[in-house]
Amino acid sequence: MFNKILVALDIREIDRSAFNQVLSLAKTTGAKLMLLNVIAPDENNYPNPFVYSGYENDWANESLITVYQEHWSKFKQQGLEALRSLAEEAKAAGVEAEFIQDFGNPGRTICNLAQTWSADLIFVGSRSLTGVKEIFLGSVSNYVTHHAPCSVLIVRETAQEIESRPTDD
């Protein structure tokens, strides 16, 4: 059935219910998991280099560069630690798991990794964006559905999860 399942995760908003579902699926089918976090420049908390220089073009100042590099390193490390923790949880449950963190367009990165890793299934969450938010923010799950080299399983948030999500207003 499934031998390799690529699990696309938003490390900043891990859906425990969805992770438990893919873990159960992998245990049942004996599949290996590849946990993927894609760092995208448009995501929340992404270290933006322009924030550190204020309104001036002051990148010659080495201290600003150092501060930015420290924030960038911390940002990447948090993602890797979360992936490592989930991989260890999967291994403790008897599921072989590895992880990778990449940078770029999430939809394209997911599809490219699925192709190169020969995934049988891509497991991806959906933030249930609609209307204007979906138009401007895009939909990773929609892109993956239309461009994936294999089957895609989209796990949607429950109504309760959507209601408890912080608003951007």
Side-chain angles (χ1 to χ4, degrees):
M1 186 174 190
F2 299 118
N3 295 314
K4 292 180 162 186
I5 302 173
L6 173 59
V7 184
L9 298 163
D10 181 348
I11 292 302
R12 309 309 175 252
E13 300 176 14
I14 295 175
D15 181 346
R16 294 300 311 177
S17 172
F19 183 73
N20 290 338
Q21 288 177 43
V22 76
L23 199 55
S24 177
L25 178 62
K27 282 179 76 169
T28 302
T29 62
K32 298 176 186 176
L33 296 180
M34 171 66 77
L35 308 176
L36 169 66
N37 176 45
V38 180
I39 298 173
D42 60 348
E43 72 181 78
N44 291 338
N45 300 322
Y46 179 85
N48 184 335
F50 300 109
V51 169
Y52 301 97
S53 62
Y55 297 104
E56 302 172 22
N57 189 4
D58 195 15
W59 276 100
N61 184 335
E62 285 187 33
S63 64
L64 291 176
I65 294 170
T66 302
V67 169
Y68 169 72
Q69 288 173 333
E70 288 171 359
H71 285 195
W72 174 248
S73 180
K74 182 179 177 184
F75 184 77
K76 288 191 318 184
Q77 192 58 38
Q78 288 172 340
L80 288 171
E81 288 172 9
L83 287 169
R84 187 174 294 110
S85 175
L86 292 171
E88 288 173 4
E89 185 178 331
K91 290 175 185 172
V95 174
E96 188 177 330
E98 54 187 301
F99 60 91
I100 187 170
Q101 182 169 257
D102 205 347
F103 176 84
N105 176 288
R108 286 189 202 114
T109 303
I110 291 165
C111 291
N112 289 341
L113 182 58
Q115 179 75 40
T116 58
W117 191 61
S118 301
D120 302 307
L121 177 69
I122 298 172
F123 188 93
V124 64
S126 173
R127 295 186 298 169
S128 303
L129 298 177
T130 58
V132 175
K133 281 189 177 182
E134 184 175 16
I135 291 169
F136 287 108
L137 298 176
S139 169
V140 173
S141 58
N142 185 41
Y143 180 92
V144 171
T145 300
H146 289 92
H147 296 89
C150 60
S151 297
V152 178
L153 177 58
I154 299 173
V155 178
R156 303 207 182 276
E157 291 179 305
T158 64
Q160 183 180 16
E161 290 168 330
I162 293 170
E163 288 174 9
S164 67
R165 186 186 325 142
T167 60
D168 298 331
D169 299 334

